[in-house]
Amino acid sequence: MEARFKGSFISPTLLIFFFFFLVAPSPVELSNVSSLRGELKGLFPSYDCPQCINRKEHGRISAARPDEKNIGILVTYTDANGAVRTRSINSKDLSTSWIWRYPSDEDGDHKKSSKEVEGKSQKPDKLEGTIDHSNGNKNQYGVVVEHKSASELHPIKLKRQRLRNERRERRTAELIEQDKEIENQIQDAAVERAKELDTTSKGKYNIWRKEYENPNADSTLKLMRDQIIMARAYATIAKAKNEDSLYDSLINHSRESQLAIGEATSDSELQPSALDRAKDMGHVLAAAKDQLYDCMTLARKLRVMLQSAENGLNMLKKRSAFLIQLAAKTVPRPLHCLPLLLTTDFFIRRYEEREFPNKEKLEDPSLFHYAIFSDNVLATSVVVNSTILHAKEPEKHVFHIVTDKLNFPAMKMWFLVNPPSAATIHVENVDDFTWLNSTYCPVLRQLESARMIEYYFKAHQSNSLTSGTDNLKYRNPKYLSMLNHLRFYLPKVYPKLEKILFLDDDIVVQKDLTPLWSVNLQGMVNGAVETCKESFHRFDKYLNFSNPKISENFDPNACGWAFGMNVFDLKEWRRRNITGIYHYWQERNEDRTLWKLGTLPPGLITFYNLTHPLDRSWHVLGLGYDPALNKSEIQNGAVVHYNGNYKPWLDLAIAKYKAYWSRYVMFNNSYLQLCNIRE
């Protein structure tokens, strides 16, 4: 007979085995056993032979509850102390949740119940056990004891199960939500760390360089370079001690190792023979160490080599700076060709007698006026083309272009031949402004002084290249041009205008600029984008605060701003006499002790506490010197500025930024094709 059970009243830590047995029949109880067999005879029919069994149908046998009889059950279990205990239970003491089943039940039901019990046995809060006698005892009664199914449980137990499941689901949901919050916090922290990462380091020492994926990616290369340094040191010592054969061997192996390295930057770029060269060099260095090693002598020699290398590096840096400045000041041949062709046609075709249309718009304050002061025809055409292309109402835009006497015919010829659609153009010659003379303008008076002429034109007579490169960028010819300082005389140049947008010739417009005329400057004169970031581009970078004239009047931590795209309120300019402030400080800087040459330092002083900061998206700077700018900021900027030496029309230009400028150049123009100006 088998008994299957599971119940919550037995601790899950106990291993319980149940089995039924018949109490040993003593002489006194023998009659009781016989009577019990007689009573069960009708309940459990017995079959004398297998043939009789085969003739009967298998199925469930209806019977009265066996637990009504006093059947003894012996229970063996292990208590908490590990001791084996035995106790006796009567079948009548079993709860009503236990039922009896015969092994002659249908196979399907039996297998199903077995699987249910087997599956449920995996849960730690329930137990299952099987009471299994020998075949003789099992067949004696042929009864299976099994726990009731879930549908037959008490409603209170079902409710408890349901509440446990609900609590388990709520706890699972809470844990999942906590995991999501922690994951979001980790992602936010990673984003913040990425923002603080300095990505300006480029080339060999960039942490994102491929070789950093493997710390030993250039171990052989570094070893060979170190060997060359040590070989040169030992070679010098060997020569001093007349060890000619060792000296020749060290020099030859150094030369061969250098050839094997070539221009490699990692081990993967080395020649196949590089490792053999390193081994050979190692043998030679070992021999040199045995013969020549002296700690003090070797340390002294390495110190001399280090100092010599530093001096050579400094010289190369200064030479590089000189060549970059020279290239930035040099006009490429195609750009020199363009104004020559335009000037020639201007006089041959008598274009000097022609005038631009729409003159009545030049002094209309209700329109959008731009001021561009430049001697570069191609750059100015890009500024005008890009502005008009993005303007919503180009017929309301007026461009005031001022150039010098040399480039005036070419500039006028270009815009007469290539007039912008709908917009108004006016080109003027700065030499026609008769009021702009040395009597009125302190800059012109200073440029005519002997001291300034010596500073500009006698710098090449210096004894060395290094002294000639001191402050080289301030010797740029643009500082000699009055076009660069004309921005401080805007109300004088345009007396009937109330607001004007000043644009440099090295900018590109990418959006409609008309909303700038609606910006409230809040009583300020200048609207500009600030350039200070932490400690960079503040007043102390541009002005000499060791001079009391500067330190007593200005804050060294005041934020700097940029020329190149500025909104000027000319009415407020006139009221505050901004040009007079400019003259006052310019006259006190005749000896260049307050600031070096240029227009930004006097601009910072002139418009001190008179500048309204614009949103940074209006003016993106750095395309002329910084190769690590954010691409999305460039693409979203209304104006991008190529401030710096790497102008987009030069071969020095940063390649990835050049497309933003070249897309507005009319390469199909006949003049550009004749001058071989191509993309």
Side-chain angles (χ1 to χ4, degrees), residues 29-40:
E29 295 174 338
L30 190 57
S31 60
N32 294 335
V33 174
S34 300
S35 63
L36 179 60
R37 290 177 178 175
E39 291 175 1
L40 294 176

Side-chain angles (χ1 to χ4, degrees), residues 261-529:
I261 292 175
E263 298 181 357
T265 58
S266 64
D267 288 356
S268 60
E269 299 176 7
L270 290 173
Q271 298 178 7
S273 61
L275 188 59
D276 295 334
R277 293 284 179 269
K279 292 179 180 179
D280 294 340
M281 176 68 87
H283 295 314
V284 175
L285 288 175
K289 182 179 179 181
D290 293 339
Q291 298 181 37
L292 306 174
Y293 181 76
D294 180 74
C295 183
M296 295 300 296
T297 304
L298 187 61
R300 192 181 301 112
K301 180 57 185 174
L302 290 175
R303 193 178 298 113
V304 172
M305 292 175 62
L306 177 61
Q307 185 175 358
S308 176
E310 288 180 350
N311 293 336
L313 179 62
N314 291 332
M315 177 62 70
L316 290 175
K317 285 182 177 180
K318 292 179 179 179
R319 186 173 299 173
S320 175
F322 174 81
L323 294 175
I324 289 175
Q325 293 292 338
L326 182 63
K329 293 186 292 184
T330 304
V331 179
R333 181 179 297 178
L335 291 184
H336 185 64
C337 165
L338 181 61
L340 290 178
L341 285 180
L342 290 170
T343 301
T344 302
D345 285 357
F346 179 79
F347 290 106
I348 291 177
R349 301 182 181 181
R350 297 186 175 275
Y351 270 81
E352 68 271 18
E353 299 176 358
R354 298 190 182 184
E355 297 294 337
F356 292 98
N358 302 322
K359 279 190 174 183
E360 67 281 0
K361 294 183 178 181
L362 297 179
E363 297 180 347
D364 187 351
S366 64
L367 301 179
F368 307 113
H369 294 266
Y370 301 85
I372 306 173
F373 304 150
S374 173
D375 58 359
N376 189 325
V377 176
L378 186 61
T380 305
S381 69
V382 169
V383 176
V384 174
N385 291 343
S386 62
T387 304
I388 295 175
L389 184 63
H390 295 96
K392 294 181 179 179
E393 298 176 300
E395 67 278 0
K396 294 184 179 181
H397 294 256
V398 181
F399 294 87
H400 302 267
I401 301 173
V402 180
T403 187
D404 56 16
K405 183 178 181 180
L406 180 64
N407 292 281
F408 173 75
M411 190 76 72
K412 187 175 181 180
M413 180 68 180
W414 174 268
F415 287 105
L416 286 174
V417 176
N418 305 288
S421 59
T424 301
I425 295 289
H426 184 59
V427 179
E428 295 180 275
N429 182 0
V430 68
D431 291 337
D432 293 338
F433 300 148
T434 56
W435 50 267
L436 195 63
N437 50 56
S438 59
T439 303
Y440 175 69
C441 179
V443 173
L444 283 176
R445 186 166 58 252
Q446 293 170 7
L447 290 175
E448 294 173 358
S449 66
R451 183 185 301 176
M452 192 68 69
I453 293 174
E454 181 179 4
Y455 177 78
Y456 273 106
F457 298 104
K458 294 186 179 180
H460 64 281
Q461 298 179 3
S462 55
N463 296 328
S464 65
L465 178 64
T466 57
S467 60
T469 55
D470 291 341
N471 301 322
L472 185 62
K473 70 176 183 178
Y474 299 112
R475 303 175 192 270
N476 196 309
K478 71 178 183 179
Y479 297 121
L480 289 172
S481 173
M482 197 56 211
L483 287 175
N484 206 38
H485 294 267
L486 191 61
R487 66 193 68 189
F488 294 104
Y489 300 95
L490 285 171
K492 190 79 171 178
V493 180
Y494 309 109
K496 294 185 179 181
L497 299 182
E498 298 178 354
K499 186 175 280 191
I500 196 167
L501 184 64
F502 173 79
L503 298 176
D504 270 346
D505 61 0
D506 56 352
I507 64 101
V508 173
V509 178
Q510 299 185 130
K511 292 183 180 180
D512 182 25
L513 300 181
T514 53
L516 286 171
W517 275 264
S518 302
V519 173
N520 183 8
L521 298 182
Q522 301 178 1
M524 302 297 176
V525 179
N526 174 28
V529 171

Side-chain angles (χ1 to χ4, degrees), residues 12 17 74 91 100 114 132 211 241 321-322 332 339 347 429 472 536 563 599 634 661:
F17 297 95
L74 184 65
S91 61
W100 299 82
S114 299
D132 193 358
E211 72 174 64
K241 294 186 176 183
F322 174 81
F347 290 106
N429 182 0
L472 185 62
F536 301 103
F563 272 125
T599 55
I634 297 175
W661 182 83

